[in-house]
Every structure is written in structure tokens, then in C-alpha cells.
Amino acid sequence: MAQVLIVEDEFFIAEHLRTIVTGLGHHVVGVADSAAQALELVHGLPHPPTLALLDITLNGELDGIDLAARLRARYGVPCVFVTSLADPETVARAKQATPLGYLLKPFVQQEVYVTLEMALAALAVTTAAPAAPEPAGLFVRDHKQLVRVDFVDLCWLEADSNYTKLYTCSGKHYTTTMPFKQVEARLPAAAFLRIHKSHIVALAHITALAGQAVVVAGHQVPIGRAYHAALFSRLNLLKSADL
């Protein structure tokens, strides 16, 4: 349910809009007939409205386009213009206010419904919370502190009974009590691949293939027979390679 402000200087049109908007399941937070009254109304609300339906021709010094700019700048409230004006000059001015819609009078309920739905859908996209950033690494206990092992520095991982060992390209290694499968689930799938029942490697750090092993940071990590196809499909192998 959207919280809608209506700004319209013709009483019967304002009431018609109120009836339609409430009939569509939204809440009208107030009706004003001038920009000054609308700004005062919004200032007194506990929360800004979701959007405003604004006539362009209003009582007072400011018109609806001026009001749209102030509502967005001061309160972050977007607008839909509801007007009989469709001349190029007015439309060009209205575009500068970046409205979510432009509804021409006379209107019917279905037109208001479609305009509101499109406006709210566009608003939902622009106000959606940004996705949380992907983690850059794993935090592992090292003596009495937790240290971050960056994915870019992680060369390979090895299962050791109920423990998991992490080996970095900088020469450090860590041991965690988290089971191998749980650690694997926290790795970015695009960068790491299991090549053995007890080994995972960082694909970017493979420098050679040596028989039944890959070379990572100067160490040979075994390749399980069941993992050959998956590994080779992820490597940029030349057809002439003798493997």
C-alpha cells in the first residue's frame, strides 16, 4: 500500500483522484491545492509519502513542476504529474523533474491504476537495497585471533580427517575445525574447484599439470580420477596437449 499525496486545485478532480486511489488499496496522506500547502503538509507528516500526484497548474506562485523539484530535493518524494497540459514546452519542463509518470486529464480509473502500478514498480527498482558485497576471504583462527585469508592468496585446501587445512601462496597455512564440505561451500565457485576427494585448488594458481597432479605454488596437488573431466573443462587446454 502506497502513501500518496494529492496536489490538485480543482476540488472535484481532487476528490475523484482520492476515491480512485483509495479504491485501489492505497492511502491518501492528504490533499492540497497549492505548492505551499503541500510542502507544509509533508513537513508535518511523520514519514514522507511514497509518491505525489501533482497537477501542474496550481494556486500560488509555484506550479506543480516547481513543487516536484522541492519535494524530491527536500524529502525524496517522487511524483506523477496529472494534468491537461501536453504542449512541448510544458512536457520539456516536466521532464526536468524526472517524474515517474505523466497522466493526462480527463482520466479514468484504469488509467490511474496503470500509471500508479508502473510508477511504483519503477520506484521499487530505484530504491531496492543494494546487494551485499561478496566476501573477500575466509576468517580463520590463528592462535588467539581471527585472521582473514584472502581468496586471491588461497592456493589450495586439504581435508585432514575432521579438519581442513588452508595453504596460501604467501607460504602460510592454517587449520580449521570446520569440515571440508562446509569450507568448500564458502568458496567462490568460479575461482575454486575440487580436484580430489580431499583437495580443492584455486584455478588461477595452477601453473602446470604433472601426470596425476597439478602444480600450485610449487607443490603438487593430486587429481582424483573422478575429477579429471571437471578439471580439464575449466582449464584453457590446447588441443595438442598430451594429457
Side-chain angles (χ1 to χ4, degrees), residues 1-138:
M1 180 177 68
Q3 307 296 309
V4 181
L5 169 68
I6 296 174
V7 186
E8 168 62 62
D9 62 356
E10 294 188 38
F11 175 78
F12 291 108
I13 295 178
E15 287 304 304
H16 186 203
L17 264 179
R18 185 206 294 267
T19 300
I20 292 175
V21 171
T22 55
L24 292 173
H26 303 298
H27 175 61
V28 176
V29 299
V31 178
D33 65 1
S34 69
Q37 185 182 14
L39 290 170
E40 183 178 357
L41 192 158
V42 173
H43 182 72
L45 293 173
H47 303 286
T50 309
L51 60 81
L53 298 178
L54 307 181
D55 187 11
I56 290 180
T57 304
L58 296 173
N59 296 319
E61 296 182 0
L62 301 178
D63 66 8
I65 299 174
D66 298 322
L67 174 59
R70 284 164 172 75
L71 286 174
R72 186 179 286 275
R74 295 182 187 179
Y75 305 102
V77 178
C79 77
V80 169
F81 289 121
V82 184
T83 180
S84 59
L85 302 176
D87 59 281
E89 183 179 351
T90 301
V91 172
R93 273 193 67 217
K95 285 167 60 178
Q96 300 304 310
T98 59
L100 295 179
Y102 199 97
L103 182 63
L104 287 174
K105 301 175 184 176
F107 50 79
V108 296
Q109 178 173 332
Q110 189 66 14
E111 292 170 334
V112 177
Y113 164 72
V114 172
T115 300
L116 274 178
E117 286 297 303
M118 294 298 101
L120 293 172
L123 185 59
V125 172
T126 58
T127 58
E134 292 291 329
L138 301 168

Side-chain angles (χ1 to χ4, degrees), residues 158-231:
E158 180 181 359
D160 183 10
S161 185
N162 293 326
Y163 299 90
T164 302
K165 294 181 177 180
L166 294 80
Y167 296 87
T168 70
C169 297
S170 57
K172 296 181 179 179
H173 68 272
Y174 305 90
T175 301
T176 175
T177 57
M178 182 176 287
F180 195 57
K181 285 187 177 181
Q182 291 185 25
V183 176
E184 181 181 21
R186 296 178 181 234
L187 299 172
F192 291 87
L193 180 68
R194 186 193 285 242
I195 63 167
H196 188 276
K197 66 178 181 180
S198 58
H199 289 87
I200 296 171
V201 296
L203 294 169
H205 293 304
I206 296 176
T207 57
L209 296 175
Q212 297 302 309
V214 296
V215 179
V216 181
H219 295 267
Q220 291 194 3
V221 180
I223 307 170
R225 186 176 300 275
Y227 299 88
H228 274 209
L231 173 62

